[in-house]
């Protein structure tokens, strides 16, 4: 137990020292949220305010950055450095290493989400959802799915540069074609069709439903099915292809 | 009286795809020995050591360390051995003291960190990032980490590679101290002068096979003319046999 706690503490400490991860989780989404909120904060989308729609949206961007950069990219960097190989020479169980990575991922998501909610509340006076439990549930489910995608990235990319390239290539579609930052209705029909292949779209929709207290309605079903399928495929793929060490 | 064998390797093989890195090596190491593994780059030394450390699995053959099977009794064994990989292999932004404390927490039985810090002369560097230290200090940190559990057997994979003479001498001094404490040390190196001084026995590995083994004197005696140094042994056996010009 002591080993697990110390290792988790170390992962967390490394997280706070990694500039790229901190930027993509705490700086970039907060700046984008403030920028877009200042421009479009008064808009209304049916029964949803701008903030009902884009608090979950920007938290979706944090999910993506946590999955791709905090987990996927960092695992590739640590593996390339031989960190996991060295740990394999100790009695530390691989499950503890895995647990520490997930803890770091959840911390990034929860802290980033709290930051967005606080910006919305104190900078724009937006009310916090009255359905926080539903929102939390949708956030946890979506996070796990994106962490699985992070491990898929770490299974595919053997080098830091490849993982970085995958992250950046995925970033723009995830940000702008998922409904996380701009309304999908405003996109040309071709891009709207493309958005159906962007996993973040389903996470954002599920979290928007959670935020509005509609998580357990039919409108969440398809999003949950798609995310669940990505999670299952991601886990199976990672079990088959993920390696702690490069031979 | 027969000495206690702490490492027994029987007909071990390991391949990476079509490359046969280790081809049927058998050897044994006795308690308290400093056992050197020498050979050219790519000979399979690191793969052999990593299989003994339990960080790589052999394709076939058996490895027993301290009477424990490296595959079957992995966890028990890892509490009793200390390892140093060829690269420092630590988190990118970790400080010396943090790394020591991190590894110290993984073991049931440990040695005092203050004692290890003193032994490896790391006191002035405890709050420095490992990656910002010189190669010699990075290796000393890695060696200190290998000692946190007061291991009975220590595996060191080229700990002196790329180091200046003084840093090399300091590392060998620590190896000597460990030997005096009765620990068994298996070390791969290109440092032939120190091999001759410090190693009780040496294995020469060429193209994944055990080419020769014995005490430095026995290996030197096998040279044409029966005279020379471990440098000559290395050149004759490891390099020329491998078809590589020195």
């Amino acid at each position: 137990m002591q080993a697990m706690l110390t290792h988790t503490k170390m992962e967390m400490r490394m997280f706070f020292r990694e500039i790229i991860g901190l930027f993509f989780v705490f700086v970039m989404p907060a700046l984008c949220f403030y920028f877009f909120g200042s421009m479009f904060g008064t808009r209304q989308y049916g029964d949803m305010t701008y903030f009902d729609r884009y608090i979950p949206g920007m938290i979706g961007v944090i999910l993506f950055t946590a999955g791709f950069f905090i987990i996927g990219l960092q695992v590739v960097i640590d593996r390339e450095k031989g960190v996991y190989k060295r740990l394999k020479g100790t009695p530390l169980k691989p499950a503890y290493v895995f647990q520490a990575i997930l803890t770091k991922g959840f911390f990034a998501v929860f802290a980033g989400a709290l930051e967005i909610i606080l910006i919305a509340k104190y900078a724009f006076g937006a009310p916090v959802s009255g359905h926080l439990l539903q929102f939390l549930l949708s956030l946890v489910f979506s996070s796990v799915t994106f962490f699985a995608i992070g491990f898929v990235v770490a299974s595919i990319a053997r080098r830091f540069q490849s993982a970085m390239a995958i992250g950046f290539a995925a970033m723009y579609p995830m940000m702008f074609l998922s409904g996380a930052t701009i309304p999908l209705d405003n996109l040309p029909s071709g891009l709207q069709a493309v958005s159906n292949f962007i996993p973040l779209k389903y996470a954002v929709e599920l979290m928007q439903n959670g935020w509005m207290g509609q998580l357990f309605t039919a409108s969440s079903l398809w999003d949950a099915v798609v995310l669940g399928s990505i999670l299952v495929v991601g886990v199976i793929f990672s079990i088959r292809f993920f390696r702690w060490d490069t031979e | 009286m027969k000495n206690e064998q702490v490492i027994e390797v029987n007909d071990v093989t390991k391949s990476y795809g079509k490359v046969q890195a280790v081809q049927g090596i058998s050897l044994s190491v006795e308690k308290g020995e400093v056992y050197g593994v020498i050979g050219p780059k790519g000979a399979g030394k690191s793969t052999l050591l990593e299989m003994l450390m339990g960080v790589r699995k052999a394709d076939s053959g058996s490895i027993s360390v301290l009477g424990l099977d490296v595959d079957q009794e992995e966890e028990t064994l890892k509490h009793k051995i200390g390892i140093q990989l060829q690269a420092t292999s630590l988190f990118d932004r970790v400080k010396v003291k943090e790394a020591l404390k991190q590894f110290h927490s993984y073991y049931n039985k440990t040695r005092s960190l203050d004692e290890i810090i003193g032994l490896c002369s790391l006191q002035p560097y405890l709050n420095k990032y490992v990656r910002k230290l010189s190669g010699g200090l990075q290796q000393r940190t890695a060696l200190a980490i290998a000692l946190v559990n007061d291991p009975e057997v220590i595996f060191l994979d080229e700990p002196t590679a790329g180091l200046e003479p003084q840093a090399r001498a300091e590392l060998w001094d620590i190896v000597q101290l460990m030997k005096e404490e009765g620990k068994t040390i298996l070390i791969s190196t290109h440092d032939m002068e120190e091999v001759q001084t410090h190693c009780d026995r040496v294995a020469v590995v060429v193209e994944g096979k055990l080419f020769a083994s014995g005490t430095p004197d026995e290996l030197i005696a096998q040279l044409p003319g029966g005279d020379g140094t471990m440098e000559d042994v290395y050149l004759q056996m490891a390099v020329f046999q491998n078809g590589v010009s020195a």
Side-chain angles (χ1 to χ4, degrees):
Chain A
M1 185 55 89
Q2 179 61 33
M4 188 178 84
L5 290 175
T6 320
H7 187 74
T8 307
K9 206 169 131 188
M10 181 59 79
E11 274 280 2
M12 294 302 300
R13 187 175 279 156
M14 295 304 109
F15 166 67
F16 281 108
R17 288 182 189 164
E18 192 50 64
I19 303 297
I20 298 176
L22 291 177
F23 176 79
F24 281 117
V25 169
F26 294 121
V27 182
M28 187 268 283
L31 287 177
C32 286
F33 185 69
Y34 186 79
F35 178 67
F36 287 128
S38 305
M39 287 197 304
F40 309 115
T42 53
R43 289 191 180 185
Q44 187 75 25
Y45 306 93
D47 58 346
M48 290 175 93
T49 66
Y50 172 85
F51 290 104
D52 287 337
R53 198 162 187 175
Y54 290 109
I55 289 173
M58 198 50 76
I59 292 172
V61 172
I62 293 169
L63 281 189
F64 158 71
T65 55
F68 276 66
F69 294 103
I70 302 297
I71 292 191
L73 176 67
Q74 195 58 47
V75 165
V76 174
I77 291 172
D78 291 342
R79 184 174 58 200
E80 234 184 327
K81 287 274 299 177
V83 171
Y84 302 126
K85 185 171 162 185
R86 180 63 186 83
L87 291 175
K88 211 173 166 190
T90 73
L92 188 72
K93 292 178 172 60
Y96 293 172
V97 179
F98 182 66
Q99 171 280 133
I101 293 169
L102 291 189
T103 302
K104 180 177 68 173
F106 276 118
F107 175 83
V109 167
F110 290 141
L114 185 65
E115 183 191 20
I116 296 298
I117 291 170
L118 291 177
I119 291 173
K121 184 173 167 63
Y122 292 107
F124 300 108
V128 178
S129 165
H131 310 280
L132 276 182
L133 199 61
Q134 285 193 35
F135 176 68
L136 196 63
L137 206 59
S138 63
L139 178 64
V140 169
F141 184 56
S142 305
S143 300
V144 173
T145 304
F146 271 81
F147 296 167
I149 298 177
F151 275 98
V152 170
V153 172
S155 306
I156 296 167
R158 292 175 73 83
R159 303 217 164 269
F160 155 77
Q161 289 89 340
S162 326
M164 197 74 161
I166 293 171
F168 279 120
M171 190 160 82
Y172 294 102
M174 291 278 188
M175 275 187 78
F176 300 115
L177 299 180
S178 63
T181 52
I182 52 173
L184 291 177
D185 314 338
N186 291 1
L187 296 175
S189 58
L191 286 180
Q192 284 188 35
V194 172
S195 75
N196 291 323
F197 297 95
I198 308 294
L200 191 58
K201 176 192 170 189
Y202 303 96
V204 168
E205 284 176 357
L206 195 74
M207 287 191 295
Q208 284 169 340
N209 286 344
W211 188 261
M212 296 301 288
Q214 292 166 5
L215 187 63
F216 302 108
T217 63
S219 61
S220 297
L221 189 63
W222 179 238
D223 299 319
V225 167
V226 173
L227 288 177
S229 306
I230 293 171
L231 174 61
V232 169
V233 171
V235 168
I236 292 170
F237 187 92
S238 302
I239 289 171
R240 174 74 183 81
F241 296 107
F242 178 74
R243 295 286 177 270
W244 289 110
D245 184 17
T246 47
E247 284 202 341
Chain B
M1 191 181 78
K2 193 171 184 263
N3 285 332
E4 188 187 338
Q5 311 258 311
V6 293
I7 301 174
E8 287 182 83
V9 180
N10 288 307
D11 201 19
V12 161
T13 65
K14 176 75 183 175
S15 299
Y16 303 116
K18 288 180 181 169
V19 179
Q20 289 185 296
V22 172
Q23 305 176 47
I25 289 184
S26 298
L27 57 85
S28 61
V29 180
E30 291 171 5
K31 185 174 169 54
E33 271 192 314
V34 176
Y35 193 94
V37 179
I38 64 171
K41 275 191 188 303
K45 303 185 298 296
S46 289
T47 301
L48 176 64
L49 256 74
E50 285 174 8
M51 288 190 290
L52 299 180
M53 295 168 182
V55 300
R56 275 192 206 292
K57 286 203 188 305
D59 295 337
S60 64
S62 67
I63 302 169
S64 147
V65 177
L66 294 162
L68 300 163
D69 185 290
V70 289
D71 288 334
Q72 307 298 320
E73 292 154 294
E74 195 178 2
E75 197 179 333
T76 314
L77 179 61
K78 282 174 182 171
H79 278 284
K80 297 177 179 218
I81 63 169
I83 72 165
Q84 178 180 5
L85 299 175
Q86 211 174 81
T88 318
S89 304
L90 298 172
F91 282 121
D92 205 29
R93 292 170 196 272
V94 72
K95 292 178 183 174
V96 173
K97 193 174 186 179
E98 292 166 351
L100 285 167
K101 280 185 170 175
Q102 176 198 352
F103 281 87
H104 199 255
S105 76
Y106 297 157
Y107 296 93
N108 297 334
K109 178 191 152 218
T110 51
R111 186 174 187 148
S112 148
L113 273 186
D114 288 340
E115 195 185 341
I116 294 168
I117 290 163
L119 193 69
C120 298
S121 310
L122 286 173
Q123 189 65 45
Y125 312 103
L126 293 177
N127 287 316
K128 303 231 183 269
Y129 286 106
V130 176
R131 67 182 176 141
K132 291 193 174 168
L133 297 177
S134 66
L137 285 168
Q138 286 192 19
Q139 291 292 50
R140 233 152 67 191
T141 305
L143 178 55
I145 290 170
L147 305 180
V148 293
N149 57 329
D150 197 18
E152 292 172 50
V153 181
I154 304 169
F155 296 98
L156 307 173
D157 191 3
E158 297 200 19
T160 56
L163 299 190
E164 293 168 0
Q166 193 191 336
R168 284 211 306 261
E170 285 167 357
L171 265 161
W172 279 104
D173 284 347
I174 301 169
V175 169
Q176 187 59 35
L177 278 170
M178 291 300 109
K179 185 189 174 176
E180 284 163 14
E181 288 187 7
K183 300 190 186 303
T184 307
I185 299 155
L186 200 139
I187 181 167
S188 74
T189 182
H190 293 280
D191 211 350
M192 292 307 126
E193 206 181 310
E194 301 294 351
V195 163
Q196 194 163 348
T197 310
H198 295 282
C199 290
D200 298 302
R201 287 192 299 144
V202 180
V204 185
V205 177
V206 182
E207 292 183 336
K209 294 175 186 152
L210 186 65
F211 184 79
S213 69
T215 64
D217 287 345
E218 285 168 352
L219 292 173
I220 290 165
Q222 288 177 36
L223 291 170
D227 196 18
T229 63
M230 279 305 293
E231 194 76 41
D232 301 321
V233 169
Y234 180 78
L235 290 172
Q236 285 292 327
M237 294 185 179
V239 181
F240 292 148
Q241 287 297 329
N242 196 33
V244 182
S245 60

